[in-house]
C-alpha cells in the first residue's frame, strides 16, 4: 500500500522491524520508487511475477532489530511493573526461550495487551531512529531518502552514494 503520511511511514517501518524473520532469507525494504514498505521473498519460494522490488527500483533495506535489543525492551517493560510482577517477568527471561516464556508470563499475569501496546510503541521509536539514521523523510506527500540507497537489479543490488 502506497505510503500517504509520515505516521503511515513510521507504522510500516515498525511493522517490518517487528515482523522480521531470517526464515527463508526474506528481507524488508523501503521502496522509494513504489513508495511502500515490503518484503523481498527468496525467489526459490515465489513465482517470478510476484518478486519485489522490481528492477531499477530505489530501495533502502530495513535491518532487523537485534534480539538483544528486543530482550532489553522486555526488561524495560518489566521495570515498569510493581516489584512482585516484575520479579515474575524477570524469572521468565532467565531461562531458555526467553521470548516465548516472557509472553506466556505476561499472559498469565493478565498483562499481554499491555505488553503488546508497550512493544508497539517501542518498535515505533525504533522506526523513528532508523529513519533518522538513514535520513528518510516524508516531504510534500512523498517518501524521500537523503542518505544511501540501493538500486535493485534482479537478484543483486548496486549501492548508490546519494539518491
Amino acid at each position: 500500500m502506497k505510503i500517504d503520511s509520515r505516521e503511515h511511514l513510521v507504522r510500516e517501518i515498525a511493522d517490518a522491524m517487528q515482523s522480521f524473520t531470517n526464515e527463508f532469507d526474506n528481507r524488508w525494504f523501503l521502496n522509494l520508487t513504489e513508495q511502500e514498505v515490503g518484503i523481498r521473498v527468496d525467489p526459490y519460494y515465489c513465482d517470478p511475477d510476484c518478486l519485489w522490488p522490481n528492477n531499477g527500483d530505489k530501495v533502502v533495506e530495513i535491518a532487523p532489530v537485534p534480539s538483544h535489543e528486543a530482550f532489553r525492551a522486555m526488561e524495560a517493560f518489566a521495570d515498569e511493573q510493581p516489584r512482585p510482577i516484575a520479579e515474575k517477568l524477570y524469572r521468565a527471561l532467565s531461562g531458555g526461550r526467553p521470548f516465548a516464556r516472557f509472553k506466556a508470563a505476561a499472559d498469565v499475569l493478565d498483562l499481554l495487551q499491555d505488553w503488546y501496546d508497550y512493544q508497539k510503541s517501542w518498535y515505533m521509536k525504533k522506526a523513528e531512529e532508523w529513519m533518522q539514521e538513514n535520513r528518510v523523510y516524508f516531504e510534500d506527500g512523498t517518501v524521500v531518502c537523503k542518505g544511501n540507497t540501493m538500486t535493485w537489479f534482479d537478484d543483486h543490488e548496486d549501492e548508490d552514494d546519494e539518491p
Side-chain angles (χ1 to χ4, degrees), residues 8-26:
H8 185 193
L9 174 61
V10 173
R11 195 171 48 253
E12 290 287 321
I13 294 168
D15 288 347
M17 291 176 154
Q18 189 170 3
S19 300
F20 195 91
T21 177
N22 286 332
E23 189 174 13
F24 307 120
D25 200 29
N26 296 333

Side-chain angles (χ1 to χ4, degrees), residues 27 34 79 139:
R27 297 160 59 194
E34 298 290 328
D79 286 343
E139 295 178 348

Side-chain angles (χ1 to χ4, degrees), residues 17-147:
M17 291 176 154
Q18 189 170 3
S19 300
F20 195 91
T21 177
N22 286 332
E23 189 174 13
F24 307 120
D25 200 29
N26 296 333
R27 297 160 59 194
W28 285 91
F29 291 95
L30 168 60
N31 187 322
L32 299 165
T33 305
E34 298 290 328
Q35 294 288 294
E36 61 187 14
V37 171
I39 190 168
R40 170 67 178 192
V41 176
D42 186 310
Y44 180 80
Y45 301 101
C46 183
D47 291 331
D49 60 338
C50 77
L51 290 176
W52 182 94
N54 300 308
N55 282 334
D57 284 355
K58 294 284 187 187
V59 298
V60 182
E61 186 166 4
I62 301 171
V65 173
S67 60
H68 69 273
E69 286 187 37
F71 187 90
R72 282 197 294 253
M74 293 184 294
E75 289 177 319
F77 177 77
D79 286 343
E80 294 183 3
Q81 306 308 312
R83 187 168 189 81
I85 292 173
E87 288 173 359
K88 291 176 183 176
L89 292 171
Y90 285 126
R91 231 182 344 265
L93 290 171
S94 66
R97 300 187 47 189
F99 289 85
R101 289 169 43 107
F102 182 87
K103 184 177 171 183
D107 190 21
V108 167
L109 295 167
D110 200 28
L111 292 172
L112 197 53
Q113 188 58 54
D114 292 341
W115 163 241
Y116 288 150
D117 293 344
Y118 183 92
Q119 186 181 40
K120 180 179 179 179
S121 174
W122 186 84
Y123 273 103
M124 296 286 277
K125 289 176 190 165
K126 296 304 282 182
E128 294 270 2
E129 291 170 12
W130 181 89
M131 288 173 59
Q132 277 187 335
E133 291 167 9
N134 290 280
R135 299 173 51 208
V136 171
Y137 309 96
F138 190 82
E139 295 178 348
D140 300 322
T142 304
V143 180
V144 296
C145 178
K146 297 180 180 178

